[in-house]
DNA sequence: AATGAATGAGTTTTCATTCAT
DNA sequence: GATGAATGAAAACTCATTCAT
């Protein structure tokens, strides 16, 4: 693991069909290897092999192992913000509970996002060049959430603090549920988590 | 990551004063380095240097890099279970809220308990050695929590599921607060988190 | 051959006996490998092996292959300037010719310097971070030479230009003689080169 | 330096117009890159890019990186022998000095003749392929020079040794002047170098 | 028991060369 | 012919671990 700092941003914007496919293949393989081996034990050669390509090709698209992590995280982050934004934007006072429940259900089913991957990577990337870029992520999520709650006429004494809390609460539970404990059935867990959220935001 | 790791359990139980001090020094240094660099980028030399000793000395007390992580995790786990158990065991229906608030406050101020560090380590260590040892940890915490709630006459439809939820909820918020966002003042955050917990466990 | 620029200056000032020996061993091995294989074909592993040590040790003392070349060149340069300075400082009008002859003889016998090595390295290092440091070398040689000629009461219309010329002339002939053509007997070549120099600096 | 080199002689004699142009373009680009980066750091991709073509095209005309160096060296060698031979063949005892001065001037201004480049390449190429081909080069130059001096009725005690000396002397000064020190004006340098040569070959 | 130089297997990374398009 | 993505052998470099002092 060389010491010298290297680029952690993608080497080039893939624009051709083939490139897109290559990047996708590599990211999928990297996801598998990162989740299976952990970041430290995942080697570029292993990732390339898992993707069925040569290391050289990997380096054609990513300048370093960290760059792969950064890209993966970027996609995760964007997917999550988009999903949460889309669902909450439809919330009204009347539908808030059901919207939250559906959103949580979707998150637990890991549709479009991969909490396991996220958990492996976040610590690495947080110490990386891409730190700053990533930093805005939770804020964006909180903003999206605060918007949704406002639209649903949820009244809170400190909406920002509550958004901060809720983002963590939901993500961590989703993460734990998906990664560590497949023992809890999704619907029950979604119900219970929804209950927790609703109890918090709707004073008795 | 050169050379495969061998033993991941401490080479010996240090009993002498000096040994104890050495181990403590090394663990503190390791904590700093792991948090600052991430597990993958933390080298044994860097840890030794941070502790002000030679690598050789490090290996006198820990048979491998992973063993350091394991020991750190072990202490974290034991400390946390003990703290939570001690506090909750005093809870009565009348004091539950205040006990929870105090516990959360303590966690937020805790020194030996560094969720950020342990999040990093768990990813690495859970995949290798010590997996088994660590595995029961969350269950123990949940059990301790469930006991506490039962003592406080908290009624829940699925106490286990609720314990699972609450453990995650509290730890993740504590972690985020400590690591990412020192912007929220501890007391306010503790209050709000307590409110969330209480709202969930005490139906209106 | 990695692209990223790395340090080309020695990683640390060797001060211990052992370190000194290690550095010396490595530089000698590097000299052999560079001369035998050429710069491009000389690998750090080959150099380490030739030195009878591990690659790791090589990198303990030199941060990169280029750094070895730079150090080698630095030593060559210093040795040469010192030798030329020492010899010429003794020159008087009466002894100039014999001093020059002796100096040339010494250079041809490669005592303390290694023109073959120099030839391999100069082109590489000239394109390196150490460029600037190395740049003063010829100037220093020229200055030393100009001093010597002045002491010997040599009269020239443009002493700087002549020093420039003479430095190149002598070094290139020495280099070619040592490296390419061991066919010319040293004494005859020294005589002839001396004749060339003397004919140039002492107008008829 | 990945992958061993194979052929080092041109894949084919380019006879079409287009091919000729392509070869010329590539050699010019290679010259620039070799001079700027050094042989070891010059990659085939960089050369191709500098030539404004793809790597594939490069390999259409040269079977290997070394083959480019060889071809460059071949052209250098042939051009130099031809130039020196042509100029010196016209020398008579009366015109020798002026012919030498003109030749030196031409070398200093020469474009296709780039001693700096060839110094880089010779180190690499002389150790690998083409060694044999290149070996006769200096001898040919020396022979051409000896012929010229004979025609000019220059009397020397060891004409071969003198030719050896003079070839090195002139080429090294030309090289240094072109590469390292653009500070010396061409005419003055040519004059002074001529003076050196003439002083040597024409005893007082 | 402490030290830190030495080791070398294991990584990351490069780049000459090929070949499908 | 031209292209440039893909290849993978080989290079550079790192770092967990050992062991002589």
């Amino acid at each position: 693991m060389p010491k010298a700092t290297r680029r952690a941003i993608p080497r080039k914007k893939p624009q051709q069909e083939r490139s897109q496919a290559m990047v996708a293949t590599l990211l999928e393989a990297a996801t598998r290897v990162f989740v299976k081996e952990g970041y430290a034990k995942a080697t570029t050669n292993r990732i390339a092999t898992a993707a069925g390509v040569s290391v050289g090709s990997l380096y054609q698209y990513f300048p370093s192992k960290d760059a792969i992590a950064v890209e993966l995280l970027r996609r995760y982050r964007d997917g999550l913000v988009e999903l949460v934004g889309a669902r909450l934007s439809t919330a009204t006072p009347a539908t808030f509970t059901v919207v939250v429940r559906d959103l949580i259900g979707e998150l637990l089913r890991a549709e479009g996002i991969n909490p396991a991957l996220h958990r492996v990577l976040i610590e690495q990337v947080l110490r990386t060049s891409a730190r700053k870029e990533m930093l805005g992520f939770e804020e964006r999520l909180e903003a999206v959430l605060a918007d949704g709650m406002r639209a649903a006429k949820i009244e809170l004494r400190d909406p920002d603090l509550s958004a901060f809390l809720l983002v963590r609460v939901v993500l961590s539970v989703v993460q734990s549920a998906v990664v560590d404990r497949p023992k809890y059935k999704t619907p029950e867990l979604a119900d219970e988590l929804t209950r927790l959220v609703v109890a918090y935001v709707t004073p008795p």
Side-chain angles (χ1 to χ4, degrees), chain A residues 123-141:
Chain A
E123 286 307 320
Q124 304 309 323
V125 171
L126 240 45
R127 278 154 244 289
T128 287
S129 43
R131 189 190 214 109
K132 226 181 309 173
E133 253 190 292
M134 274 339 192
L135 238 45
F137 164 53
E138 267 114 350
E139 277 86 345
R140 279 168 59 200
L141 254 192

Side-chain angles (χ1 to χ4, degrees), chain A residues 17 22 49-50 72 88 141 143 183:
Chain A
E17 296 276 331
M22 178 89 262
T49 301
L72 242 15
L88 287 188
L141 254 192
K183 94 176 175 194

Side-chain angles (χ1 to χ4, degrees), chain A residues 36-178:
Chain A
K36 187 148 194 285
E37 317 269 352
Y39 187 82
K41 304 278 187 298
T43 72
T44 48
N45 265 294
R46 202 129 52 208
I47 294 171
T49 301
V53 303
S54 64
V55 229
S57 292
L58 185 157
Y59 279 91
Q60 191 93 33
Y61 294 96
F62 298 97
S64 68
K65 190 175 139 180
D66 279 4
I68 301 176
V70 170
E71 180 61 16
L72 242 15
L73 224 29
R74 198 199 308 271
R75 291 183 178 214
Y76 166 77
R77 174 200 67 180
D78 291 348
L80 196 53
V81 170
E82 191 175 7
L83 174 65
V84 173
R87 292 299 168 276
L88 287 188
S89 68
T90 69
T92 64
T95 63
F96 184 74
T97 299
V98 89
V99 163
V100 165
R101 214 227 89 118
D102 288 352
L103 174 55
I104 288 174
E106 251 182 299
L107 292 176
L108 282 171
R109 273 178 270 109
E111 283 165 5
I113 64 160
N114 186 340
L117 171 67
H118 185 235
R119 188 155 119 164
V120 180
L121 295 184
I122 190 71
E123 286 307 320
Q124 304 309 323
V125 171
L126 240 45
R127 278 154 244 289
T128 287
S129 43
R131 189 190 214 109
K132 226 181 309 173
E133 253 190 292
M134 274 339 192
L135 238 45
F137 164 53
E138 267 114 350
E139 277 86 345
R140 279 168 59 200
L141 254 192
E142 290 168 27
V144 157
L145 178 58
D147 282 353
M149 292 196 295
R150 207 170 306 121
K153 299 272 183 263
I154 303 289
E155 308 254 316
L156 295 159
R157 73 187 75 191
D158 186 340
D160 288 347
L161 179 52
S162 293
F164 170 81
L165 241 54
L166 287 171
V167 163
R168 265 85 200 160
V169 160
V170 172
L171 288 186
S172 82
V173 171
V174 165
Q175 208 164 69
S176 290
V178 171

